[in-house]
Amino acid sequence: MKARTKVWFTEDGRTVMGAGRADLLRTIEKEHSLRKACKELGISYKHAWMMLKKMNEALGEPAIITVRGGKNQGTFLTDLGRKLLAEYETNKQIINETIGDETAWENVSFKLSARNQLPGKVLEVEKNGLVSKITIEMEPSIMTSVVTEEAVEKLDIKPGDRIYAVIKSTEVMVAKIVGEKVPTKIDLKETNRSD
């Protein structure tokens, strides 16, 4: 069995970017043509145009621009479109590397020091299938940690909980504060591993 994830961006409850829209933007960037992008992706021009229209409405500004006539004609990503695609790709890569990294899910036991744990308060828990985003307030800033939904359920993490963000050189994990006692050891159990 293999763990799989999906990444999508939303704005006010409306989907801005998911895998299909990311594929479309990526192909437009490569082909500089909406029609060629549609052909390569095997989707209709109307369907692609509706996807872009919904994306632009959710964003409030266009992700692509069409230049007609002249030597430099074609369809191109706007700065916003390029930024959105880059952000999507980065988030997708981080989540896929985390889910796919077997060493991240092996039984890990380590001692904590004051240097690698930051106390905070959970502002929001957003569950998205296999992964969850935990927004943590750590005065004077806010941090977001991406963890498995199973970890959120096992620790029973909810808004208002006091937790520690546990910093490793390659990741940020969370540990729930029970009472005011600082944890001295955390055992991470594997949640989704391909066997």
Side-chain angles (χ1 to χ4, degrees), residues 110-120 138 164-168 182-185:
F110 60 94
K111 296 215 183 265
L112 299 176
S113 73
R115 290 189 312 269
N116 66 353
Q117 58 184 320
L118 302 170
M138 293 179 290
Y164 284 100
V166 182
I167 313 295
K168 272 180 67 178
V182 177
T184 56
K185 182 178 177 183

Side-chain angles (χ1 to χ4, degrees), residues 52-68:
L52 293 169
K53 182 178 183 228
K54 287 179 183 177
M55 183 187 311
N56 292 342
E57 287 171 356
L59 291 169
E61 58 182 289
I64 65 159
I65 187 169
T66 301
V67 177
R68 300 195 189 284

Side-chain angles (χ1 to χ4, degrees), residues 2 16 18 26 46 58 70 97 108 110 129 136 152 162 176:
K2 256 236 198 277
V16 174
R26 195 179 308 107
K46 182 178 180 181
E97 284 175 0
V108 177
F110 60 94
I136 308 162
V152 170
R162 292 184 36 78
K176 187 168 180 179

Side-chain angles (χ1 to χ4, degrees), residues 121-125 134-138 141-143 158-161:
K121 179 180 172 185
V122 176
L123 295 178
E124 182 181 8
V125 177
I134 303 173
T135 305
I136 308 162
E137 179 181 44
M138 293 179 290
S141 61
I142 294 176
M143 169 190 273
K158 55 196 171 304
D161 283 346

Side-chain angles (χ1 to χ4, degrees), residues 95-187:
I95 291 170
N96 286 339
E97 284 175 0
T98 302
I99 295 294
D101 181 5
E102 291 187 21
T103 63
W105 306 114
E106 290 174 358
N107 293 331
V108 177
S109 179
F110 60 94
K111 296 215 183 265
L112 299 176
S113 73
R115 290 189 312 269
N116 66 353
Q117 58 184 320
L118 302 170
K121 179 180 172 185
V122 176
L123 295 178
E124 182 181 8
V125 177
E126 183 181 326
K127 296 181 180 181
N128 294 317
L130 292 175
V131 295
S132 296
K133 283 185 355 184
I134 303 173
T135 305
I136 308 162
E137 179 181 44
M138 293 179 290
E139 292 295 334
S141 61
I142 294 176
M143 169 190 273
T144 300
S145 178
V146 178
V147 298
T148 65
E149 186 172 348
E150 184 177 348
V152 170
E153 289 171 4
K154 277 186 178 178
L155 292 172
D156 189 29
I157 295 176
K158 55 196 171 304
D161 283 346
R162 292 184 36 78
I163 65 172
Y164 284 100
V166 182
I167 313 295
K168 272 180 67 178
S169 61
T170 58
E171 58 194 321
V172 176
M173 297 174 286
V174 296
K176 187 168 180 179
I177 300 171
V178 180
E180 288 300 314
K181 184 180 177 191
V182 177
T184 56
K185 182 178 177 183
I186 294 178
D187 290 319

